Amino acid sequence: MICPEGRVLDQYEGDNISRTRGGNLHISQMYAEKGHCEGCPRRSQCFRFGKYRRVGKNVVMEELQGKVDENLGCEEGKGLCRQRSIQVEGAFGILKQDRGMTRFRRRGLKGVKMEFLLNCLGLNLYKYHLFWLKQRANNLIGKLN
């Protein structure tokens, strides 16, 4: 592993396994540079509190990022990204322009999340109601013919 200064971190110290706040697995491979600090201008920054600098490499995240890059690199993945951005922008545009949701009126992450989910629920119910009205109108027109 190479540090930002270009030196090689070659001394593997083991894995650090933990969970994130969201409950996701976080595995870091820890590396150190114990014998490479003599004559380095940044030795005082790296060698703090009597310990050598340690750098972690998140194995799980790098693996997932590799899969994402592979999936988004093909033509189908690029098309899905374009389509998703179009669909999401439309929903946010409706919420902001038509529904008047330009600011959150609640404080805190929990309150903001609740307010946003209620607005999305209202938008989905509105879309379903329009769909239901169109189906009903089509059924009535079909019976008249």
Side-chain angles (χ1 to χ4, degrees), residues 27-41:
I27 301 175
S28 294
Q29 291 180 342
M30 303 306 291
Y31 292 90
E33 51 178 353
K34 294 181 181 173
H36 304 287
C37 294
E38 286 76 21
C40 178

Side-chain angles (χ1 to χ4, degrees), residues 1-4 9 29-33 53-57:
M1 185 170 178
I2 300 175
C3 74
L9 303 174
Q29 291 180 342
M30 303 306 291
Y31 292 90
E33 51 178 353
R53 179 178 180 185
R54 296 177 72 211
V55 177
K57 176 181 173 185

Side-chain angles (χ1 to χ4, degrees), residues 2 19 25 45 53 88 136:
I2 300 175
R19 294 249 177 221
L25 184 62
Q45 295 171 353
R53 179 178 180 185
V88 169
R136 187 173 171 202

Side-chain angles (χ1 to χ4, degrees), residues 95 99 101 114-124:
L95 282 172
R99 314 286 290 170
M101 187 184 157
M114 180 194 65
E115 183 179 345
F116 184 71
L117 289 175
L118 284 173
N119 278 304
C120 291
L121 180 67
L123 178 64
N124 287 337

Side-chain angles (χ1 to χ4, degrees), residues 75-119:
E75 288 301 318
E76 183 182 358
K78 290 177 185 176
L80 287 173
C81 275
R82 284 192 295 270
Q83 188 65 27
R84 182 181 180 275
S85 67
I86 292 168
Q87 292 172 350
V88 169
E89 287 298 323
F92 283 127
I94 291 170
L95 282 172
K96 287 173 74 175
Q97 197 72 19
D98 298 343
R99 314 286 290 170
M101 187 184 157
T102 56
R103 287 178 178 245
F104 290 107
R105 289 163 177 79
R106 305 267 186 261
R107 282 197 252 170
L109 185 61
K110 199 173 186 179
V112 168
K113 190 185 248 185
M114 180 194 65
E115 183 179 345
F116 184 71
L117 289 175
L118 284 173
N119 278 304

